Amino acid sequence: MAQVTTAEQKSIFSLFNFIALIIVGIGLYLTYLRFAGGLAAVTNLSDYNPWGIWISFDLLCGVALAAGGYVTSSAVYLFGMKKYHSAVRPAILTGFLGYALVFLAINYDVGRPWRLPYPLIVQQGTTSVLFEVGLCVATYLTVLFVEFSPAAMEWLGLKRARNLVVKLTILLTIFGVVLSTMHQSSLGALFLIAPSKLHPLWYSPYIPVYFFITSVVAGLSMVIFESTLSHRFFAYKMDETHFKEADGVTLGFGKAASFVLAGYFAIKVMGISADNNWHYLKTGYGSWYLVELLGFVALPSLLYAIGVRVKSLTLIKWTSVLAVLGVILNRFNVCLIAFNWHLPSAERYFPHWMEIGISVFIVMIGLILYRFIVTRMPILYEHPDYKDAH
Amino acid sequence: MGWVGAVGLSTTFVKSGAAATTKHFTGYPNSFAILHDITLCVGCRTCEAACNKVNELPQPDKPFTDLSVLETKRRTTTKAFTVVNKYDNSVPSETPIFYKKQCNHCLEPACASACFVRAFTKTKTGAVIYDSSVCVGCRYCMVACPFEIPTYEYDQALTPRIRKCTMCYPRVVEGQLPGCVEACPLEALSFGKRENIIKIARERIRKYPDRYVDHIYGEQEMGGTNWMYLSGVPFKDLGMREDLGITPAPQLTAGALSSVPIIVGLWPVLLAGLYGISKRKEKIAKTEQEQAVASALDKEKSATSQIEEKS
């Protein structure tokens, strides 16, 4: 079943190791620059542009793309779609790693990261949307850690503790959905306070709903996309159940994503109508908005639908890439491109290469950890000692 | 989880309940305000020098007496809490217009509402002050501020702070005037109780209708501010936003935050219900399957016994 032979695999991994080594090396050096010289040493942030790609990509995209965890676990454990069971563990793992990396990235972005617990223990700014985001992300990171832990405990042979945590599955899943609903939407709500800075086409009272719905799209599409990559590189780790269920996961998740995208398209159009923003569509920003709405929302919805209809796994897999890019584009539009649109171009922000370097470094850490875990722990297969225990 | 729910609750019920009530916060009684009469400003930069001195800010590259800096548009920085900008008058024969920019000290500040560690305080004097001892450096206040005032010490590795005008809070509580007001050689800056300042401004507009645009900028903008402006030309010609509306910033997020307790309360019920339904479906399917198997077995049994009887 494996698509690549072991020899090829080895050469791929040694190439991976080589690239990883370089990126980590550069990343560590940039980390030194950041903490020795402050944000000015590595970023293009300014008084007009306090948030750059560490917020738009690492935080906003990171959290959205890590939504596969709550989407998959709620489908399987709460809605009874047991045929997708083999997709849960990879999704929980990428969710957990995603949130852990978001937390890591935040440490680079805030001025005094050692004070990150202050909003919880020193003074609570409960009127701030960011307070809710922080609280939920911190709590959800803990929940994801616990949800992930059975795999680690099976690997380490901690049978008792593992069985205890497995008993909490339903409770943890419900917790996960509640927390995700709140902070996924709140990341959008962060921008509600700045109607004078965000372009009217992207500013909407519905923006929290938009962010939540697109997180579902991102979650579903990332599961499909990651499964494609895992089959390419870690097929030898997969058991029969995983292989048997994989096509069903792609078809089922593709179908769900098609519907959710269609609904999202509908509420976006309603949003334009509600604020009567139609006339903005004729402007340059309007064209860009249409690129996002038609090319990265309507198109993937249609392609997913066609892929499911003609049972083309290839089409669904490529569409998942398009849908993920669409969510990334949306976050960039809200946080960077359509934000501060009123400023002259000289005052606008474009990331410094070192900011991008840190982001690449953090993604690379995620890939290294993912590889470390799936090659050791029962993620893509069921542990022989714990069969049928789910 | 209950704690998480408290997030929105405090916004909805305790803080101001702006979205849910008819209450309108018009500022602390007897709070102070400053009126900047733009028509009286000559762009001498004395206020900038005074601000620099009372706030113990570093000396700029060019001295405050050098008026050539007015040729470029400036914004507030970590080293200048107030800046005067020069604008051409639309009537060519008239002298240029000078507008002093600094924190407007909103009645309901966006920065204070956005801060997740309550580093900003709206004081009873009207000043919005900042406490760097708790600040995490997330810079959400800068995103939130509609006037683009707060600045950040990006070049500080370990102790970056937000920097902005304090409306000279330490001086005002001691009974002194704010540095800039005290230094202004003309009547371009007036300090007093907010109610009185509004009356003075209205009086000037009434007396000299040809001199002023009939609007006090800051009386209603973003719910009202403790710095207000009179101008002879439309405010938007001076780079001041006229599209900010009169909604105080905290109201913009109050609705979203008030949905938090609803999600915390209802989502678990809904999800547990869905779980229950899917469980029950499984159970019914299992029972039906068992019954079908049992009845099939029964039929087979009776069939076999009939065959046996026949034989």
Side-chain angles (χ1 to χ4, degrees):
Chain A
M1 204 74 177
Q3 288 166 355
V4 264
T5 64
T6 331
E8 270 178 76
Q9 224 141 33
K10 269 190 184 144
S11 76
I12 289 170
F13 280 146
S14 59
L15 179 69
F16 173 84
N17 288 343
F18 180 67
I19 296 169
L21 195 70
I22 293 174
I23 291 177
V24 170
I26 296 171
L28 289 175
Y29 178 63
L30 294 178
T31 305
Y32 164 73
L33 290 181
R34 152 67 185 93
F35 288 101
L39 286 168
V42 292
T43 72
N44 278 345
L45 297 174
S46 66
D47 288 333
Y48 278 120
N49 304 288
W51 286 356
I53 61 160
W54 292 347
I55 295 297
S56 58
F57 181 73
D58 298 34
L59 173 64
L60 298 184
C61 295
V63 167
L65 301 185
Y70 88 88
V71 170
T72 313
S73 59
S74 59
V76 172
Y77 296 129
L78 300 182
F79 310 149
M81 304 178 184
K82 296 207 166 138
K83 54 183 176 169
Y84 305 137
H85 192 267
S86 61
V88 171
R89 279 207 175 167
I92 291 286
L93 173 62
T94 40
F96 170 57
L97 289 178
Y99 276 84
L101 297 174
V102 165
F103 176 69
L104 177 65
I106 288 304
N107 281 279
Y108 284 82
D109 187 77
V110 303
R112 310 193 202 198
W114 49 93
R115 285 185 178 175
L116 277 170
Y118 275 26
L120 298 181
I121 56 174
V122 178
Q123 280 190 149
Q124 291 80 30
T126 50
T127 55
S128 172
V129 178
L130 196 60
F131 179 73
E132 191 207 335
V133 169
L135 189 55
C136 287
V137 169
T139 317
Y140 187 46
L141 180 57
T142 318
V143 168
L144 276 170
F145 174 72
V146 179
E147 284 188 294
F148 157 75
S149 66
M153 293 193 282
E154 286 172 18
W155 177 54
L156 297 169
L158 305 170
K159 204 162 189 168
R160 265 220 184 126
R162 180 258 178 215
N163 289 341
L164 189 75
V165 175
V166 166
K167 282 203 185 100
L168 295 173
T169 302
I170 299 299
L171 189 69
L172 288 170
T173 308
I174 291 180
F175 252 56
V177 180
V178 172
L179 291 166
S180 294
T181 309
M182 290 194 293
H183 71 257
Q184 293 284 2
S185 58
S186 293
L187 284 173
L190 283 176
F191 295 92
L192 284 175
I193 205 157
S196 58
K197 296 184 183 175
L198 182 57
H199 191 282
L201 281 172
W202 282 272
Y203 185 91
S204 164
Y206 301 149
I207 198 170
V209 183
Y210 294 161
F211 267 56
F212 175 63
I213 301 295
T214 43
S215 84
V216 178
V217 175
L220 293 165
S221 303
M222 279 303 279
V223 168
I224 299 172
F225 178 60
E226 285 160 11
S227 138
T228 313
L229 292 185
S230 304
H231 277 77
R232 178 87 178 77
F233 298 111
F234 300 110
Y236 66 102
K237 277 283 165 191
M238 293 175 181
D239 61 7
E240 212 176 310
T241 325
H242 198 103
F243 280 120
K244 232 173 26 198
E245 291 183 2
D247 291 355
V249 170
T250 305
L251 284 169
F253 277 44
K255 190 174 178 182
S258 175
F259 275 110
V260 178
L261 277 164
Y264 176 61
F265 181 82
I267 59 169
K268 285 287 264 191
V269 174
M270 286 176 202
I272 304 176
S273 312
D275 294 333
N276 197 13
N277 281 333
W278 295 104
H279 60 286
Y280 284 111
L281 292 179
K282 282 178 288 189
T283 64
Y285 274 99
S287 311
W288 184 237
Y289 183 83
L290 287 175
V291 168
E292 182 193 324
L293 188 63
L294 299 178
F296 292 89
V297 177
L299 184 64
S301 176
L302 182 71
L303 292 179
Y304 267 137
I306 295 171
V308 172
R309 185 87 180 84
V310 303
K311 291 203 165 29
S312 164
L313 296 174
T314 323
L315 179 59
I316 297 175
K317 284 170 182 171
W318 280 108
T319 308
S320 74
V321 177
L322 183 67
V324 167
L325 287 175
V327 176
I328 295 175
L329 178 67
N330 175 258
R331 299 306 191 259
F332 272 89
N333 277 340
V334 170
C335 190
L336 296 181
I337 298 169
F339 192 82
N340 274 341
W341 67 293
H342 62 290
L343 289 181
S345 55
E347 303 291 357
R348 298 296 302 273
Y349 161 88
F350 192 83
H352 194 280
W353 74 264
M354 290 198 269
E355 286 178 83
I356 302 172
I358 292 283
S359 291
V360 172
F361 165 62
I362 287 171
V363 172
M364 183 44 84
I365 293 177
L367 292 176
I368 293 168
L369 288 175
Y370 185 84
R371 195 183 80 166
F372 178 87
I373 292 170
V374 294
T375 50
R376 284 165 181 80
M377 300 178 197
I379 302 293
L380 301 170
Y381 62 94
E382 278 178 310
H383 195 287
D385 295 350
Y386 302 91
K387 283 261 185 211
D388 307 323
H390 301 294
Chain B
M1 194 68 86
W3 195 31
V4 179
V7 175
L9 275 178
S10 62
T11 326
T12 350
F13 303 119
V14 186
K15 189 64 189 174
S16 68
T21 71
T22 50
K23 258 190 222 154
H24 172 51
F25 182 67
T26 50
Y28 287 115
N30 292 324
S31 73
F32 295 107
I34 295 165
L35 179 69
H36 175 29
D37 190 330
I38 295 168
T39 65
L40 295 174
C41 181
V42 293
C44 65
R45 298 186 71 210
T46 316
C47 53
E48 287 189 39
C51 178
N52 178 279
K53 200 175 153 215
V54 300
N55 289 299
E56 290 162 8
L57 298 173
Q59 280 299 309
D61 301 336
K62 288 181 181 171
F64 288 104
T65 48
D66 185 348
L67 297 184
S68 67
V69 295
L70 294 170
E71 296 310 316
T72 45
K73 297 279 178 291
R74 297 172 300 152
R75 60 153 294 151
T76 53
T77 67
T78 52
K79 297 180 179 90
F81 298 168
T82 185
V83 289
V84 176
N85 277 326
K86 184 170 102 174
Y87 292 86
D88 289 333
N89 203 325
S90 50
V91 185
S93 61
E94 295 280 325
T95 49
I97 300 158
F98 300 96
Y99 151 57
K100 174 185 180 299
K101 183 179 192 158
Q102 74 299 305
C103 173
N104 285 329
H105 299 272
C106 304
L107 297 180
E108 296 183 67
C111 53
S113 148
C115 182
F116 69 164
V117 66
R118 279 194 281 134
F120 291 93
T121 313
K122 177 72 180 173
T123 66
K124 297 223 158 109
T125 67
V128 179
I129 55 168
Y130 160 79
D131 174 10
S132 67
S133 73
V134 291
C135 178
V136 183
C138 72
R139 310 184 298 286
Y140 188 34
C141 52
M142 300 166 73
V143 169
C145 178
F147 303 109
E148 300 168 325
I149 292 302
T151 67
Y152 186 73
E153 295 177 321
Y154 287 103
D155 51 349
Q156 292 292 321
L158 298 175
T159 57
R161 291 169 299 174
I162 292 289
R163 305 294 273 152
K164 74 166 196 71
C165 159
T166 63
M167 208 169 140
C168 282
Y169 178 70
R171 288 169 60 92
V172 170
V173 289
E174 283 174 11
Q176 289 175 284
L177 283 174
C180 54
V181 178
E182 193 178 72
C184 182
L186 293 154
E187 295 280 312
L189 298 174
S190 320
F191 180 85
K193 295 271 159 65
R194 190 168 187 267
E195 297 100 280
N196 297 339
I197 286 291
I198 292 173
K199 278 179 199 152
I200 291 170
R202 290 213 181 109
E203 189 61 14
R204 285 190 197 173
I205 295 172
R206 193 187 64 78
K207 267 191 185 161
Y208 310 103
D210 298 336
R211 189 183 172 99
Y212 296 107
V213 171
D214 188 11
H215 182 75
I216 308 169
Y217 193 97
E219 189 187 0
Q220 301 285 342
E221 273 74 13
M222 294 306 291
T225 59
N226 285 67
W227 269 80
M228 285 169 284
Y229 305 83
L230 285 181
S231 170
V233 297
F235 290 98
K236 67 172 189 316
D237 294 355
L238 307 174
M240 297 165 83
R241 300 284 296 261
E242 288 183 339
D243 57 350
L244 296 176
I246 59 167
T247 310
Q251 274 189 29
L252 295 166
T253 49
L257 281 171
S258 66
S259 69
V260 169
I262 300 299
I263 294 172
V264 175
L266 289 184
W267 244 220
V269 180
L270 180 75
L271 295 167
L274 283 167
Y275 171 68
I277 290 169
S278 77
K279 266 275 169 205
R280 185 164 160 72
K281 264 189 185 163
E282 262 173 45
K283 204 176 157 191
I284 292 171
K286 204 178 164 197
T287 330
E288 280 177 351
Q289 197 187 12
E290 275 167 5
Q291 277 172 351
V293 170
S295 71
L297 279 177
D298 275 353
K299 266 185 199 163
E300 207 179 320
K301 227 184 206 172
S302 57
T304 356
S305 55
Q306 274 173 4
I307 293 165
E308 273 168 8
E309 262 172 45
K310 274 181 188 170
S311 64

